[in-house]
Amino acid sequence: MTDPLDLLTLRVVLAVAESGSISAGSERLHLAVAAASARISALEASLGVRIFERSPRGVALTPAGRMLVQRGGGLLADADRLATDLRDWSQGLAGHVRVLANASALLQVLPRRLAQFARSHPRIRVDVEERMSPHILGEVIEGRADVGVVDAATATPGLDFVPFFRDELAFVVPHGHPMQQLAAVRLDDLLEQDFIVLEGANAVSARLFNAAAAMGRVLSVRMQMRSFDAACRTVAAGLGVAVLPRQALGPQLAHLPIHAVAIDGAWASRTHHLALRLGADAPAAARTLVDALRDDA
């Protein structure tokens, strides 16, 4: 035995100390008496102290033995807790999940769903950062994030895509715009307008530009904004029109002089997905989160 002070030997010492004899302690642990006795003897020889005083009536702890039992009990309790925690991590009952989400998810559904998840899974910590959909997928593939919430037209190799929620893009026009009362409009009805778009590589602008390109047209982009709110305020000032997710604009539609008009076109209907790495490459806690969010959808 190269390391006599191992966890099993500690369990033998505690069982023998609690039961008062090597035979009774061995029986408690389902060990042969000879095996338990050999462990205790090897431990005593390695440490150079006697753990038990032996007599025909059984065993009694020495002062060194009492210290070993007192401190060894704490070590065993810590080891048992560690084993439980590791099993929970492997089964997705505990852990840490890094989530990257697009603005639409954060404004529409994700905070409420995460609050529900936190109540039902208190041992899983979820950290969230906002990113644009095109950037999220690479971060998940490279392992810098565990779960992504994205609007992606096609699945990405190496990732599992799970449907999460749907929304609709709408034309946002200022009050008094001639099309504000229409039930729906087509993109070609607005191509002569000045557009206010979201800056950078983002899924909303990509859908808009691709729809225009499919018609052989180029949009007149007047301004680029970083947020839905900034775009809405610029529209309210009469500086152009925008395409934004209707479900994310509740406060702006309620308080700004703007209107959201439905878009007649399949490109405006979106399904957002939860993306995570395939199979064993995804942390178990990430799969638990995705399953819970999907079930709540």
Side-chain angles (χ1 to χ4, degrees):
M1 225 180 295
T2 59
D3 186 11
L5 189 56
D6 58 24
L7 293 179
L8 179 55
T9 301
L10 276 176
R11 294 188 193 281
V12 169
V13 170
L14 266 67
V16 169
E18 291 171 359
S19 60
S21 72
I22 295 177
S23 60
S26 302
E27 184 178 355
R28 179 185 296 185
L29 297 176
H30 306 289
L31 286 176
V33 173
S37 180
R39 283 183 172 273
I40 293 172
S41 296
L43 178 60
E44 290 176 326
S46 174
L47 299 178
V49 295
R50 294 189 67 80
I51 305 302
F52 293 104
E53 295 290 352
R54 295 161 175 81
S55 72
R57 292 174 297 178
V59 297
L61 287 168
T62 65
R66 284 192 292 273
M67 179 182 70
L68 177 60
V69 167
Q70 181 181 17
R71 297 178 63 177
L75 289 174
L76 287 178
D78 286 344
D80 289 342
R81 283 192 294 269
L82 176 60
T84 298
D85 288 345
L86 290 174
R87 281 193 295 270
D88 287 349
W89 273 68
S90 70
Q91 297 170 7
L93 302 176
H96 176 210
V97 184
R98 300 162 298 172
V99 176
L100 299 181
N102 59 26
S104 295
L106 290 170
L107 289 170
Q108 296 181 50
V109 300
L110 196 56
R112 175 176 55 83
R113 301 279 183 83
L114 289 180
Q116 295 170 346
F117 182 81
R119 289 191 292 270
S120 60
H121 297 79
R123 299 185 62 207
I124 297 180
R125 170 174 172 165
V126 180
D127 292 343
V128 182
E129 292 184 30
E130 181 183 345
R131 300 285 178 84
M132 294 180 180
S133 289
H135 298 156
I136 291 173
L137 296 175
E139 297 289 294
V140 176
I141 291 173
E142 295 297 326
R144 290 187 290 271
D146 303 311
V147 176
V149 185
V150 296
D151 166 23
T154 58
T156 300
L159 295 181
D160 186 12
F161 275 66
V162 177
F164 184 24
F165 73 97
R166 295 179 59 83
D167 67 4
E168 303 288 335
L169 298 180
F171 285 119
V172 181
V173 299
H175 182 70
H177 192 280
M179 296 182 180
Q180 72 180 47
Q181 300 298 334
L182 297 179
V185 294
R186 300 180 60 84
L187 178 59
D188 52 8
D189 295 329
L190 288 176
L191 284 176
E192 303 305 321
Q193 305 278 324
D194 288 330
F195 275 82
I196 297 159
V197 301
L198 300 173
E199 72 172 7
N202 64 86
V204 173
S205 294
R207 283 178 176 266
L208 174 60
F209 290 139
N210 289 340
M215 300 170 58
R217 301 290 296 272
V218 177
L219 296 179
S220 171
V221 175
R222 184 174 185 182
M223 297 183 179
Q224 299 184 53
M225 298 294 151
R226 293 187 178 182
S227 69
F228 296 163
D229 184 68
C232 286
R233 292 180 183 278
T234 310
V235 170
L239 297 174
V241 299
V243 169
L244 298 169
R246 177 195 296 268
Q247 291 83 351
L249 305 180
Q252 290 83 6
L253 291 171
H255 299 291
L256 294 175
I258 58 175
H259 301 269
V261 183
I263 295 174
D264 182 5
W267 63 273
S269 297
R270 306 195 299 170
T271 298
H272 298 259
H273 288 81
L274 299 163
L276 73 165
R277 294 184 296 281
L278 290 171
D281 289 338
R287 177 61 65 180
T288 297
L289 173 64
V290 167
D291 289 343
L293 293 177
R294 175 180 58 191
D295 290 343
D296 289 339

